[in-house]
Amino acid sequence: MSIFKLKINFEEQGKEPIELPIAGGESVLDVCLDHGIELQHNCGGVCGCSTCHVYVNKGMDDIQEISDKEEDFIDRAVRPRITSRLGCQCVVVNGDIEVTIPDQSEFLGH
């Protein structure tokens, strides 16, 4: 199994970028949860909501292709961009990736 690098940037003030190992076949959400990084996942990480929304800065070609279902949920995310993906569906296939986690404080109370 190949191990790659996952660089995570945060929109939230005062949070420094962090670099973590991510294995091929592992999702950004899984790595975040394993390392105590707050990434909302109201549906439990099964592509049933949009709360684990992230922006992929680098490595879009190194993650699984987006599904129609995921695209539908991204449309409901807060401030989606062309580089938006759901953390639970952002599964590394072959290379290092870099993502930005939107400010999670906006989701408090959901």
Side-chain angles (χ1 to χ4, degrees):
M1 179 169 27
S2 302
I3 303 292
F4 304 103
K5 281 191 300 205
L6 166 62
K7 182 177 182 185
I8 302 173
N9 303 297
F10 300 91
E11 277 188 355
E12 208 171 318
Q13 292 301 308
K15 285 198 172 184
E16 292 297 310
I18 185 171
E19 222 170 74
L20 298 167
I22 186 167
E26 205 172 14
S27 75
V28 169
L29 177 63
D30 289 338
V31 173
C32 287
L33 297 180
D34 288 349
H35 290 87
I37 295 168
E38 253 182 70
L39 182 54
Q40 298 292 323
H41 53 288
N42 293 354
C43 75
V46 296
C47 196
C49 69
S50 63
T51 56
C52 69
H53 168 235
V54 298
Y55 303 120
V56 178
N57 307 332
K58 290 184 186 146
M60 192 65 96
D61 291 339
D62 296 313
I63 54 179
Q64 279 183 355
E65 281 189 41
I66 193 165
S67 67
D68 291 341
K69 182 178 178 187
E70 182 184 356
E71 277 192 53
D72 289 344
F73 281 110
I74 284 172
D75 288 342
R76 303 175 205 173
V78 179
R79 287 190 307 282
R81 299 178 191 158
I82 194 78
T83 59
S84 291
R85 292 293 301 265
L86 299 181
C88 66
Q89 300 301 299
C90 205
V91 175
V92 169
V93 177
N94 191 31
D96 299 339
I97 64 169
E98 180 180 326
V99 301
T100 297
I101 296 179
D103 189 339
Q104 298 288 291
S105 63
E106 295 182 18
F107 295 113
L108 292 179
H110 284 261

